[in-house]
PDB file of all heavy atoms in Angstrom:
ATOM      1  N   LEU A  75      68.812 -54.093   1.632  1.00 97.00           N
ATOM      2  CA  LEU A  75      69.600 -54.241   2.858  1.00 97.00           C
ATOM      3  C   LEU A  75      70.645 -53.141   2.950  1.00 97.00           C
ATOM      4  O   LEU A  75      71.204 -52.714   1.943  1.00 97.00           O
ATOM      5  CB  LEU A  75      70.288 -55.598   2.872  1.00 97.00           C
ATOM      6  CG  LEU A  75      69.379 -56.811   2.759  1.00 97.00           C
ATOM      7  CD1 LEU A  75      70.205 -58.093   2.703  1.00 97.00           C
ATOM      8  CD2 LEU A  75      68.395 -56.859   3.910  1.00 97.00           C
ATOM      9  N   GLY A  76      70.905 -52.676   4.185  1.00 95.00           N
ATOM     10  CA  GLY A  76      71.972 -51.722   4.428  1.00 95.00           C
ATOM     11  C   GLY A  76      71.681 -50.301   3.988  1.00 95.00           C
ATOM     12  O   GLY A  76      72.599 -49.551   3.670  1.00 95.00           O
ATOM     13  N   THR A  77      70.415 -49.890   4.000  1.00 95.00           N
ATOM     14  CA  THR A  77      70.095 -48.536   3.559  1.00 95.00           C
ATOM     15  C   THR A  77      70.382 -47.514   4.657  1.00 95.00           C
ATOM     16  O   THR A  77      70.376 -47.830   5.853  1.00 95.00           O
ATOM     17  CB  THR A  77      68.627 -48.412   3.136  1.00 95.00           C
ATOM     18  OG1 THR A  77      67.787 -48.645   4.261  1.00 95.00           O
ATOM     19  CG2 THR A  77      68.302 -49.395   2.017  1.00 95.00           C
ATOM     20  N   LEU A  78      70.612 -46.288   4.242  1.00 94.00           N
ATOM     21  CA  LEU A  78      70.872 -45.207   5.184  1.00 94.00           C
ATOM     22  C   LEU A  78      69.696 -45.010   6.133  1.00 94.00           C
ATOM     23  O   LEU A  78      69.881 -44.846   7.337  1.00 94.00           O
ATOM     24  CB  LEU A  78      71.165 -43.905   4.433  1.00 94.00           C
ATOM     25  CG  LEU A  78      71.288 -42.648   5.300  1.00 94.00           C
ATOM     26  CD1 LEU A  78      72.460 -42.790   6.262  1.00 94.00           C
ATOM     27  CD2 LEU A  78      71.441 -41.424   4.439  1.00 94.00           C
ATOM     28  N   GLN A  79      68.463 -45.041   5.605  1.00 93.00           N
ATOM     29  CA  GLN A  79      67.329 -44.758   6.486  1.00 93.00           C
ATOM     30  C   GLN A  79      67.156 -45.842   7.542  1.00 93.00           C
ATOM     31  O   GLN A  79      66.822 -45.544   8.685  1.00 93.00           O
ATOM     32  CB  GLN A  79      66.056 -44.496   5.712  1.00 93.00           C
ATOM     33  CG  GLN A  79      65.500 -45.626   4.917  1.00 93.00           C
ATOM     34  CD  GLN A  79      64.360 -45.147   4.016  1.00 93.00           C
ATOM     35  OE1 GLN A  79      64.338 -44.018   3.539  1.00 93.00           O
ATOM     36  NE2 GLN A  79      63.406 -46.019   3.797  1.00 93.00           N
ATOM     37  N   ASP A  80      67.397 -47.084   7.204  1.00 96.00           N
ATOM     38  CA  ASP A  80      67.286 -48.147   8.209  1.00 96.00           C
ATOM     39  C   ASP A  80      68.404 -48.034   9.248  1.00 96.00           C
ATOM     40  O   ASP A  80      68.172 -48.171  10.445  1.00 96.00           O
ATOM     41  CB  ASP A  80      67.321 -49.523   7.555  1.00 96.00           C
ATOM     42  CG  ASP A  80      66.033 -49.868   6.834  1.00 96.00           C
ATOM     43  OD1 ASP A  80      65.076 -49.066   6.862  1.00 96.00           O
ATOM     44  OD2 ASP A  80      65.985 -50.961   6.237  1.00 96.00           O
ATOM     45  N   TRP A  81      69.630 -47.782   8.790  1.00 96.00           N
ATOM     46  CA  TRP A  81      70.743 -47.638   9.716  1.00 96.00           C
ATOM     47  C   TRP A  81      70.515 -46.455  10.645  1.00 96.00           C
ATOM     48  O   TRP A  81      70.705 -46.558  11.857  1.00 96.00           O
ATOM     49  CB  TRP A  81      72.066 -47.437   8.954  1.00 96.00           C
ATOM     50  CG  TRP A  81      73.209 -47.241   9.889  1.00 96.00           C
ATOM     51  CD1 TRP A  81      73.982 -48.209  10.470  1.00 96.00           C
ATOM     52  CD2 TRP A  81      73.683 -45.990  10.418  1.00 96.00           C
ATOM     53  NE1 TRP A  81      74.898 -47.638  11.312  1.00 96.00           N
ATOM     54  CE2 TRP A  81      74.740 -46.274  11.293  1.00 96.00           C
ATOM     55  CE3 TRP A  81      73.311 -44.672  10.217  1.00 96.00           C
ATOM     56  CZ2 TRP A  81      75.439 -45.280  11.970  1.00 96.00           C
ATOM     57  CZ3 TRP A  81      73.997 -43.679  10.898  1.00 96.00           C
ATOM     58  CH2 TRP A  81      75.060 -43.978  11.757  1.00 96.00           C
ATOM     59  N   SER A  82      70.113 -45.331  10.088  1.00 95.00           N
ATOM     60  CA  SER A  82      69.906 -44.118  10.869  1.00 95.00           C
ATOM     61  C   SER A  82      68.875 -44.338  11.980  1.00 95.00           C
ATOM     62  O   SER A  82      69.089 -43.947  13.129  1.00 95.00           O
ATOM     63  CB  SER A  82      69.465 -42.986   9.940  1.00 95.00           C
ATOM     64  OG  SER A  82      69.258 -41.805  10.641  1.00 95.00           O
ATOM     65  N   TYR A  83      67.780 -44.974  11.635  1.00 95.00           N
ATOM     66  CA  TYR A  83      66.724 -45.227  12.626  1.00 95.00           C
ATOM     67  C   TYR A  83      67.188 -46.234  13.672  1.00 95.00           C
ATOM     68  O   TYR A  83      67.024 -46.013  14.872  1.00 95.00           O
ATOM     69  CB  TYR A  83      65.476 -45.724  11.914  1.00 95.00           C
ATOM     70  CG  TYR A  83      64.287 -45.948  12.813  1.00 95.00           C
ATOM     71  CD1 TYR A  83      63.589 -44.872  13.343  1.00 95.00           C
ATOM     72  CD2 TYR A  83      63.848 -47.232  13.118  1.00 95.00           C
ATOM     73  CE1 TYR A  83      62.488 -45.061  14.163  1.00 95.00           C
ATOM     74  CE2 TYR A  83      62.750 -47.435  13.938  1.00 95.00           C
ATOM     75  CZ  TYR A  83      62.073 -46.353  14.455  1.00 95.00           C
ATOM     76  OH  TYR A  83      60.985 -46.552  15.270  1.00 95.00           O
ATOM     77  N   ASP A  84      67.796 -47.320  13.227  1.00 95.00           N
ATOM     78  CA  ASP A  84      68.222 -48.384  14.146  1.00 95.00           C
ATOM     79  C   ASP A  84      69.337 -47.927  15.078  1.00 95.00           C
ATOM     80  O   ASP A  84      69.312 -48.212  16.268  1.00 95.00           O
ATOM     81  CB  ASP A  84      68.683 -49.607  13.345  1.00 95.00           C
ATOM     82  CG  ASP A  84      69.123 -50.745  14.243  1.00 95.00           C
ATOM     83  OD1 ASP A  84      68.274 -51.254  15.017  1.00 95.00           O
ATOM     84  OD2 ASP A  84      70.314 -51.133  14.186  1.00 95.00           O
ATOM     85  N   GLN A  85      70.316 -47.213  14.550  1.00 96.00           N
ATOM     86  CA  GLN A  85      71.495 -46.860  15.330  1.00 96.00           C
ATOM     87  C   GLN A  85      71.385 -45.538  16.078  1.00 96.00           C
ATOM     88  O   GLN A  85      72.052 -45.362  17.095  1.00 96.00           O
ATOM     89  CB  GLN A  85      72.732 -46.821  14.422  1.00 96.00           C
ATOM     90  CG  GLN A  85      73.070 -48.158  13.810  1.00 96.00           C
ATOM     91  CD  GLN A  85      73.453 -49.186  14.854  1.00 96.00           C
ATOM     92  OE1 GLN A  85      74.299 -48.938  15.713  1.00 96.00           O
ATOM     93  NE2 GLN A  85      72.809 -50.342  14.800  1.00 96.00           N
ATOM     94  N   THR A  86      70.563 -44.606  15.591  1.00 95.00           N
ATOM     95  CA  THR A  86      70.524 -43.287  16.229  1.00 95.00           C
ATOM     96  C   THR A  86      69.124 -42.843  16.638  1.00 95.00           C
ATOM     97  O   THR A  86      68.981 -41.821  17.300  1.00 95.00           O
ATOM     98  CB  THR A  86      71.109 -42.207  15.296  1.00 95.00           C
ATOM     99  OG1 THR A  86      70.216 -41.994  14.208  1.00 95.00           O
ATOM    100  CG2 THR A  86      72.488 -42.598  14.772  1.00 95.00           C
ATOM    101  N   GLY A  87      68.085 -43.576  16.189  1.00 93.00           N
ATOM    102  CA  GLY A  87      66.712 -43.174  16.494  1.00 93.00           C
ATOM    103  C   GLY A  87      66.200 -42.059  15.599  1.00 93.00           C
ATOM    104  O   GLY A  87      65.119 -41.524  15.821  1.00 93.00           O
ATOM    105  N   CYS A  88      66.968 -41.696  14.591  1.00 93.00           N
ATOM    106  CA  CYS A  88      66.590 -40.625  13.666  1.00 93.00           C
ATOM    107  C   CYS A  88      65.712 -41.201  12.559  1.00 93.00           C
ATOM    108  O   CYS A  88      66.084 -42.164  11.902  1.00 93.00           O
ATOM    109  CB  CYS A  88      67.850 -40.017  13.070  1.00 93.00           C
ATOM    110  SG  CYS A  88      67.551 -38.717  11.865  1.00 93.00           S
ATOM    111  N   ILE A  89      64.535 -40.626  12.369  1.00 93.00           N
ATOM    112  CA  ILE A  89      63.646 -41.061  11.291  1.00 93.00           C
ATOM    113  C   ILE A  89      64.135 -40.423   9.993  1.00 93.00           C
ATOM    114  O   ILE A  89      64.201 -39.204   9.881  1.00 93.00           O
ATOM    115  CB  ILE A  89      62.184 -40.664  11.581  1.00 93.00           C
ATOM    116  CG1 ILE A  89      61.674 -41.432  12.811  1.00 93.00           C
ATOM    117  CG2 ILE A  89      61.305 -40.934  10.368  1.00 93.00           C
ATOM    118  CD1 ILE A  89      60.294 -41.016  13.270  1.00 93.00           C
ATOM    119  N   ASP A  90      64.483 -41.258   9.043  1.00 94.00           N
ATOM    120  CA  ASP A  90      65.004 -40.805   7.761  1.00 94.00           C
ATOM    121  C   ASP A  90      64.081 -41.276   6.649  1.00 94.00           C
ATOM    122  O   ASP A  90      63.537 -42.375   6.723  1.00 94.00           O
ATOM    123  CB  ASP A  90      66.407 -41.375   7.539  1.00 94.00           C
ATOM    124  CG  ASP A  90      67.062 -40.846   6.281  1.00 94.00           C
ATOM    125  OD1 ASP A  90      67.544 -39.706   6.314  1.00 94.00           O
ATOM    126  OD2 ASP A  90      67.087 -41.574   5.270  1.00 94.00           O
ATOM    127  N   ALA A  91      63.895 -40.459   5.656  1.00 96.00           N
ATOM    128  CA  ALA A  91      63.104 -40.832   4.480  1.00 96.00           C
ATOM    129  C   ALA A  91      63.955 -40.619   3.235  1.00 96.00           C
ATOM    130  O   ALA A  91      64.786 -39.716   3.183  1.00 96.00           O
ATOM    131  CB  ALA A  91      61.844 -39.978   4.384  1.00 96.00           C
ATOM    132  N   THR A  92      63.736 -41.470   2.260  1.00 96.00           N
ATOM    133  CA  THR A  92      64.371 -41.293   0.963  1.00 96.00           C
ATOM    134  C   THR A  92      63.349 -40.640   0.045  1.00 96.00           C
ATOM    135  O   THR A  92      62.272 -41.187  -0.174  1.00 96.00           O
ATOM    136  CB  THR A  92      64.834 -42.641   0.381  1.00 96.00           C
ATOM    137  OG1 THR A  92      65.768 -43.227   1.294  1.00 96.00           O
ATOM    138  CG2 THR A  92      65.488 -42.449  -0.978  1.00 96.00           C
ATOM    139  N   ILE A  93      63.682 -39.467  -0.439  1.00 96.00           N
ATOM    140  CA  ILE A  93      62.762 -38.717  -1.280  1.00 96.00           C
ATOM    141  C   ILE A  93      63.258 -38.818  -2.724  1.00 96.00           C
ATOM    142  O   ILE A  93      64.352 -38.353  -3.053  1.00 96.00           O
ATOM    143  CB  ILE A  93      62.665 -37.257  -0.810  1.00 96.00           C
ATOM    144  CG1 ILE A  93      62.138 -37.246   0.633  1.00 96.00           C
ATOM    145  CG2 ILE A  93      61.780 -36.447  -1.747  1.00 96.00           C
ATOM    146  CD1 ILE A  93      62.212 -35.930   1.333  1.00 96.00           C
ATOM    147  N   GLU A  94      62.454 -39.476  -3.527  1.00 96.00           N
ATOM    148  CA  GLU A  94      62.764 -39.661  -4.940  1.00 96.00           C
ATOM    149  C   GLU A  94      62.050 -38.543  -5.696  1.00 96.00           C
ATOM    150  O   GLU A  94      60.833 -38.430  -5.629  1.00 96.00           O
ATOM    151  CB  GLU A  94      62.260 -41.024  -5.411  1.00 96.00           C
ATOM    152  CG  GLU A  94      62.811 -42.198  -4.618  1.00 96.00           C
ATOM    153  CD  GLU A  94      64.084 -42.771  -5.218  1.00 96.00           C
ATOM    154  OE1 GLU A  94      64.491 -42.322  -6.308  1.00 96.00           O
ATOM    155  OE2 GLU A  94      64.667 -43.667  -4.600  1.00 96.00           O
ATOM    156  N   VAL A  95      62.806 -37.694  -6.395  1.00 94.00           N
ATOM    157  CA  VAL A  95      62.230 -36.472  -6.976  1.00 94.00           C
ATOM    158  C   VAL A  95      61.960 -36.529  -8.474  1.00 94.00           C
ATOM    159  O   VAL A  95      61.434 -35.568  -9.032  1.00 94.00           O
ATOM    160  CB  VAL A  95      63.105 -35.237  -6.670  1.00 94.00           C
ATOM    161  CG1 VAL A  95      63.167 -34.976  -5.169  1.00 94.00           C
ATOM    162  CG2 VAL A  95      64.489 -35.387  -7.262  1.00 94.00           C
ATOM    163  N   SER A  96      62.317 -37.635  -9.118  1.00 94.00           N
ATOM    164  CA  SER A  96      62.123 -37.708 -10.564  1.00 94.00           C
ATOM    165  C   SER A  96      62.052 -39.157 -11.015  1.00 94.00           C
ATOM    166  O   SER A  96      62.794 -40.002 -10.500  1.00 94.00           O
ATOM    167  CB  SER A  96      63.288 -37.021 -11.284  1.00 94.00           C
ATOM    168  OG  SER A  96      63.228 -37.246 -12.677  1.00 94.00           O
ATOM    169  N   ASN A  97      61.200 -39.435 -11.962  1.00 94.00           N
ATOM    170  CA  ASN A  97      61.148 -40.777 -12.541  1.00 94.00           C
ATOM    171  C   ASN A  97      62.384 -41.076 -13.388  1.00 94.00           C
ATOM    172  O   ASN A  97      62.632 -42.222 -13.733  1.00 94.00           O
ATOM    173  CB  ASN A  97      59.881 -40.951 -13.379  1.00 94.00           C
ATOM    174  CG  ASN A  97      58.659 -41.074 -12.494  1.00 94.00           C
ATOM    175  OD1 ASN A  97      58.662 -41.765 -11.480  1.00 94.00           O
ATOM    176  ND2 ASN A  97      57.599 -40.396 -12.871  1.00 94.00           N
ATOM    177  N   THR A  98      63.159 -40.046 -13.683  1.00 92.00           N
ATOM    178  CA  THR A  98      64.403 -40.204 -14.428  1.00 92.00           C
ATOM    179  C   THR A  98      65.556 -40.340 -13.443  1.00 92.00           C
ATOM    180  O   THR A  98      65.718 -39.500 -12.558  1.00 92.00           O
ATOM    181  CB  THR A  98      64.643 -38.976 -15.345  1.00 92.00           C
ATOM    182  OG1 THR A  98      63.515 -38.827 -16.192  1.00 92.00           O
ATOM    183  CG2 THR A  98      65.901 -39.127 -16.152  1.00 92.00           C
ATOM    184  N   LYS A  99      66.348 -41.407 -13.573  1.00 93.00           N
ATOM    185  CA  LYS A  99      67.453 -41.640 -12.641  1.00 93.00           C
ATOM    186  C   LYS A  99      68.519 -40.557 -12.733  1.00 93.00           C
ATOM    187  O   LYS A  99      69.052 -40.110 -11.733  1.00 93.00           O
ATOM    188  CB  LYS A  99      68.063 -43.025 -12.911  1.00 93.00           C
ATOM    189  CG  LYS A  99      69.148 -43.412 -11.935  1.00 93.00           C
ATOM    190  CD  LYS A  99      68.600 -43.544 -10.543  1.00 93.00           C
ATOM    191  CE  LYS A  99      69.655 -44.052  -9.585  1.00 93.00           C
ATOM    192  NZ  LYS A  99      69.227 -43.954  -8.199  1.00 93.00           N
ATOM    193  N   TRP A 100      68.873 -40.139 -13.923  1.00 92.00           N
ATOM    194  CA  TRP A 100      69.917 -39.134 -14.111  1.00 92.00           C
ATOM    195  C   TRP A 100      69.356 -37.958 -14.915  1.00 92.00           C
ATOM    196  O   TRP A 100      69.675 -37.797 -16.083  1.00 92.00           O
ATOM    197  CB  TRP A 100      71.130 -39.735 -14.822  1.00 92.00           C
ATOM    198  CG  TRP A 100      71.705 -40.895 -14.099  1.00 92.00           C
ATOM    199  CD1 TRP A 100      71.591 -42.212 -14.441  1.00 92.00           C
ATOM    200  CD2 TRP A 100      72.460 -40.871 -12.894  1.00 92.00           C
ATOM    201  NE1 TRP A 100      72.227 -43.001 -13.532  1.00 92.00           N
ATOM    202  CE2 TRP A 100      72.773 -42.207 -12.557  1.00 92.00           C
ATOM    203  CE3 TRP A 100      72.902 -39.856 -12.052  1.00 92.00           C
ATOM    204  CZ2 TRP A 100      73.504 -42.546 -11.431  1.00 92.00           C
ATOM    205  CZ3 TRP A 100      73.624 -40.203 -10.920  1.00 92.00           C
ATOM    206  CH2 TRP A 100      73.928 -41.527 -10.630  1.00 92.00           C
ATOM    207  N   PRO A 101      68.527 -37.117 -14.315  1.00 91.00           N
ATOM    208  CA  PRO A 101      67.943 -35.999 -15.060  1.00 91.00           C
ATOM    209  C   PRO A 101      68.988 -34.938 -15.399  1.00 91.00           C
ATOM    210  O   PRO A 101      70.023 -34.824 -14.742  1.00 91.00           O
ATOM    211  CB  PRO A 101      66.894 -35.443 -14.098  1.00 91.00           C
ATOM    212  CG  PRO A 101      67.373 -35.849 -12.749  1.00 91.00           C
ATOM    213  CD  PRO A 101      68.097 -37.156 -12.926  1.00 91.00           C
ATOM    214  N   SER A 102      68.694 -34.162 -16.382  1.00 92.00           N
ATOM    215  CA  SER A 102      69.560 -33.068 -16.806  1.00 92.00           C
ATOM    216  C   SER A 102      69.647 -32.009 -15.710  1.00 92.00           C
ATOM    217  O   SER A 102      68.666 -31.717 -15.021  1.00 92.00           O
ATOM    218  CB  SER A 102      68.976 -32.450 -18.077  1.00 92.00           C
ATOM    219  OG  SER A 102      69.592 -31.228 -18.356  1.00 92.00           O
ATOM    220  N   ALA A 103      70.814 -31.423 -15.580  1.00 94.00           N
ATOM    221  CA  ALA A 103      71.002 -30.351 -14.599  1.00 94.00           C
ATOM    222  C   ALA A 103      70.074 -29.173 -14.872  1.00 94.00           C
ATOM    223  O   ALA A 103      69.730 -28.421 -13.953  1.00 94.00           O
ATOM    224  CB  ALA A 103      72.453 -29.887 -14.596  1.00 94.00           C
ATOM    225  N   SER A 104      69.643 -29.015 -16.099  1.00 96.00           N
ATOM    226  CA  SER A 104      68.736 -27.911 -16.428  1.00 96.00           C
ATOM    227  C   SER A 104      67.385 -28.049 -15.724  1.00 96.00           C
ATOM    228  O   SER A 104      66.629 -27.075 -15.642  1.00 96.00           O
ATOM    229  CB  SER A 104      68.524 -27.827 -17.944  1.00 96.00           C
ATOM    230  OG  SER A 104      67.843 -28.973 -18.417  1.00 96.00           O
TER     231      SER A 104
END
């Protein structure tokens, strides 16, 4: 509940996607 992509679409009509780039939550900056 209360995600940015849902709010963005509902309130502004902007299609937003959440792109998860790593199976590691906190990967090394390297």
